[in-house]
Each structure stands twice: as C-alpha cells, then as structure tokens.
Amino acid sequence: MPFDVASVRGLFPSMGDGWIHLDSQNGSQIPDAVASAVSRGIRSFPVPAGGLSRQAVAAAAVTTQARQAVADLLDADADCVAFGPSRAAVVSALVDALPVTRWMGDGIVLSRLDDEENIVPWLRGAARHGSSVRWAEVDVEQGTLPPWQYSHLVTERTTVVAVTLASSTTGAITDIGQIAGHAHAAGALLVVDATNAAPFVPLTMSELGADVVIVSAERWGGPRMAAMVFADRACMDSLTNVSLNPRAVGPSRLEVAAAPAALLSGVVASVDLLAGLEPEAGSRRRRLMMSMDSTYEYLQRLAFYLVSSLDSLGHVHVIGVDTHRVPLVSFLVRGVTAEKVAKRLNDNGISALYDVPSRALDAIGVRDAGGAVSVGLGVYSTPYEVDQLIRVLGSFG
C-alpha cells in the first residue's frame, strides 16, 4: 500500500500552522497522541517510580512499558534499556560507568562525522583519565566515513570505538559492519549513535553488531528523552553504578536519576505511532518493521527528489553523496552566506538550520564558503514542500 502522507500529516497538529518544517535534525514535530500522553502523564504520575503508592506503582509500570517500546524498536532486550534526558546525558553516564581498564591502552576511537553528543563526553572522559584519542576522518568529497581506516585506527590496545550510524549533516550512512569487525577483534566496546537513522531506517540490534546503541525519541516524534540499549546484559551489569540510588539494579544503575514517567508515556506513544503508520497486524515489532519499511521507501524517494531538485539549481551545491543516505541534507548557495539563506527561507515560512556545529562540515571546509544550510525531512514532509524550498532557493540565482 502506498505511504499515505496526507493521513500521517493529520496526526501532527503543527502541520496546520502554515509553516514548512524542514528542521527535523532539531527534533521531529510532535504528534497529538504523544502530546496527549505526556499531558496525561503529568497529571497521573506526579511522583517517580520506587514507592508503594498507587501513583509510584503506576510510574514503575510506565517505565517498564517504555523500556519494552524501545526494545521493540531495536529488537533488543527490554532489561537492557536505560534512559536519560538527552543523548549527551546517556553517553556521559556511559563514560562515567566504564571501568578504569577501559581507559587504558590506546584509548578510544572517535569519528568526525559524529554529532557532538557522541564526541564531547568521550573527550572529557579521555582527558580525565589521561587516555589517548584517535580520529576517523571524513571523506571531504563524499561526506562519508570510509570504514577502511578503522583497520589501522583500531589496534589490540583500543578499548572503545564510538561512531554514528548516519550523519545529521551529510546524511551519509556508515558501514557499521566493517567497523564492528575491527572493534570486536580488538575486544573494544562499540558504541553506535543511531539517533539520526532511527526515524528512517528499520533497526535490528543483532544486525548492527554494536555493544551499545544510542537513540533519542525526539527525532521520531517523541519527547526529549534518549536511551542507550545494550546488546548483552552481562556487559551492562559489568559497568559501575552511576545512579543516585546506591541500591539500583538492572538498567536503573545507569540512570543518574529516575526518568519522568510522564515523558516515558510519550516515548511509548511515539513508538506506538511509528508502529501504526501502516495498517498491519501482529506484534509491535512486526508492525514497526512494516511501517518503517514503508516510511523508508517513501522518504528515500522524497530525498532523491530533494537532492535532484537542489542539484538542478546551478548555484546550489549539495554536500555529500546522492545515494545511501538518510533524508538529512546540507548545501551551499554560491556567493551567499548560510545565515542569509536561512533567513530568506524563514521569511517564506520554511524552517531550516544553518551554522550547525559539525566537525564533518568543518573538515569539508564549508565555513570558508559562508557556511552550510541543513534541512531534514520527516514522515510528514511532502513533494510540495520540497518544491517551495526550491522556489525560494531559486530566487538566489
């Protein structure tokens, strides 16, 4: 069945505000079901889980449901899902939880394609422990992360490899399989930030080959809550307790404070919404796979149309490859600063990002050309909206 974008748009109240929202890197628009779930949760769960009151017990049940929802998204174990208020927060918790032995040897391998959320906490941890950091570089022509370089970056003394599954700026999808092979051969912990891919690509924990996967719900229409998911319970249990509760057990040991049950209600609602984008029967995991396949096909076509339309403008240069990407795109307008482009788009009711902190874009050299504008599609995006973007950009020619 063709993807029914008109029906999907009806699930998002902000689609009626007259704006074209092409800034999904900052967070998806919020579906009504998610907003309602959070609103009900604020009224129903004013206390955290952990007590014997009716409200505390209900909050604990919601926490369990949220762990299962994220586990279904990744085909993982719900007992291996830990929450935090942001990607940076969960990565920081992981950094703090690692035993000292993980900071010895050649230290960690990071990539310049990653967002700062999967870079800065590791740099701080390395500085604190006196560990060395090695960098995987971006192919400046393709905007990709060549996996071959990990064959010499990862040694028998490497202890952690942190890498993104997809770039928020160039949209490039990383070949995690090759990187996982090098990391596992060295006995290194492989941490994959799948946040930029999760709204667009069906994910399976075992296929990723990661020890830890990071996702953030606001990118697929949930509240601003992030999760880290472990492939192995033993690995998770081997980490230091970073919770304020010294008696915390299971994934709660990696949650500095209990996640607000109201926001976790929104996480559950957002995953259920993803699962319901196509009218399929079966388990939530099966429905998620079917819905994500349909979403992926629609957004791949729309992304191809977006990139092709941008390329048709002789004064616009798209950064990165045309294929094997998620629908997140950065571009330059010849002779015009990114700020000026973004302001004109804004004046025409189009939300876009510019001057995004990005080591990848810095390596490519976009600052010397006045900076890049970044746009991102969502499940609610349409060809008409792409046409409006192209119309405004065409006015610079």
Side-chain angles (χ1 to χ4, degrees):
M1 180 181 297
F3 185 76
D4 188 357
V5 67
S7 294
V8 170
R9 286 175 66 85
L11 304 174
F12 295 81
S14 58
M15 291 300 100
D17 65 3
W19 279 76
I20 294 174
H21 300 280
L22 297 179
D23 54 353
S24 65
Q25 295 96 325
N26 263 1
S28 167
Q29 298 300 298
I30 301 297
D32 182 65
V34 172
S36 296
V38 172
S39 178
R40 289 194 301 271
I42 291 173
R43 296 191 298 269
S44 302
F45 313 121
V47 300
L52 296 178
S53 71
R54 178 184 60 82
Q55 292 176 333
V57 170
V62 169
T63 302
T64 300
Q65 293 167 15
R67 296 196 204 282
Q68 186 60 61
V70 173
D72 287 343
L73 186 67
L74 291 166
D75 197 22
D77 182 350
D79 290 334
C80 294
V81 178
F83 290 107
S86 66
R87 271 189 293 169
V90 296
V91 175
S92 295
L94 178 59
V95 167
D96 291 342
L98 288 181
V100 174
T101 52
R102 284 289 180 186
W103 298 99
M104 297 178 179
D106 282 341
I108 62 177
V109 176
L110 304 178
S111 102
R112 298 198 198 277
L113 193 66
D114 275 73
D115 294 333
E116 293 300 288
E117 288 85 347
N118 199 32
I119 293 178
V120 173
W122 294 110
L123 292 178
R124 291 175 178 169
R128 187 163 62 241
H129 292 277
S131 302
S132 63
V133 176
R134 309 182 82 181
W135 290 93
E137 302 293 348
V138 176
D139 183 321
V140 297
E141 292 185 357
Q142 299 293 317
T144 59
L145 188 70
W148 56 261
Q149 59 190 310
Y150 284 84
S151 63
H152 61 82
L153 286 172
V154 179
T155 73
E156 67 276 5
R157 290 171 57 79
T158 300
T159 55
V160 177
V161 177
V163 65
T164 185
L165 179 56
S167 169
S168 65
T169 50
T170 71
I173 298 175
T174 306
D175 184 352
I176 296 295
Q178 289 192 49
I179 299 171
H182 295 301
H184 294 156
L189 185 77
L190 178 61
V191 181
V192 174
D193 182 0
T195 297
N196 298 318
F200 313 114
V201 180
L203 300 176
T204 301
M205 194 79 185
S206 59
E207 292 180 359
L208 282 174
D211 298 299
V212 186
V213 172
I214 309 295
V215 292
S216 198
E218 85 275 1
R219 299 298 289 277
W220 65 72
R224 292 195 176 273
M225 290 291 297
M228 56 179 165
V229 185
F230 291 81
D232 180 66
R233 177 66 184 264
C235 173
M236 183 184 73
D237 290 341
S238 70
L239 301 179
T240 302
N241 182 2
V242 297
S243 172
L244 297 176
N245 177 7
R247 295 188 296 274
V249 297
S252 297
R253 296 171 64 253
L254 299 174
E255 298 169 349
V256 177
L263 296 183
L264 294 180
S265 297
V267 171
V268 176
S270 69
V271 175
D272 283 338
L273 183 134
L274 281 181
L277 291 180
E278 282 292 328
E280 297 292 336
S283 67
R284 179 163 56 193
R285 172 62 185 176
R286 182 179 185 279
R287 289 183 286 117
L288 277 166
M289 293 300 289
M290 297 296 291
S291 293
M292 294 301 290
D293 282 340
S294 177
T295 301
Y296 177 78
E297 181 180 352
Y298 170 72
L299 287 176
Q300 281 296 101
R301 292 198 307 269
L302 191 58
F304 178 79
Y305 179 58
L306 168 62
V307 173
S308 298
S309 298
L310 291 171
D311 283 338
S312 70
L313 301 174
H315 56 283
V316 175
H317 172 69
V318 177
I319 299 170
V321 295
D322 292 343
T323 58
H324 200 54
R325 68 189 305 159
V326 294
L328 307 174
V329 180
S330 294
F331 58 87
L332 307 171
V333 176
R334 187 172 59 244
V336 186
T337 65
E339 181 179 9
K340 183 175 180 180
V341 174
K343 285 184 175 179
R344 185 172 298 184
L345 290 172
N346 188 78
D347 290 343
N348 284 269
I350 301 174
S351 299
L353 305 175
Y354 76 96
D355 199 25
V356 176
S358 168
R359 296 174 195 241
L361 294 182
D362 288 347
I364 292 169
V366 300
R367 288 188 183 276
D368 296 335
V373 175
S374 299
V375 295
L377 303 178
V379 293
Y380 40 73
S381 299
T382 67
Y384 168 79
E385 293 179 326
V386 172
D387 289 339
Q388 296 308 301
L389 173 69
I390 300 304
R391 176 185 62 80
V392 177
L393 293 177
S395 67
F396 288 101

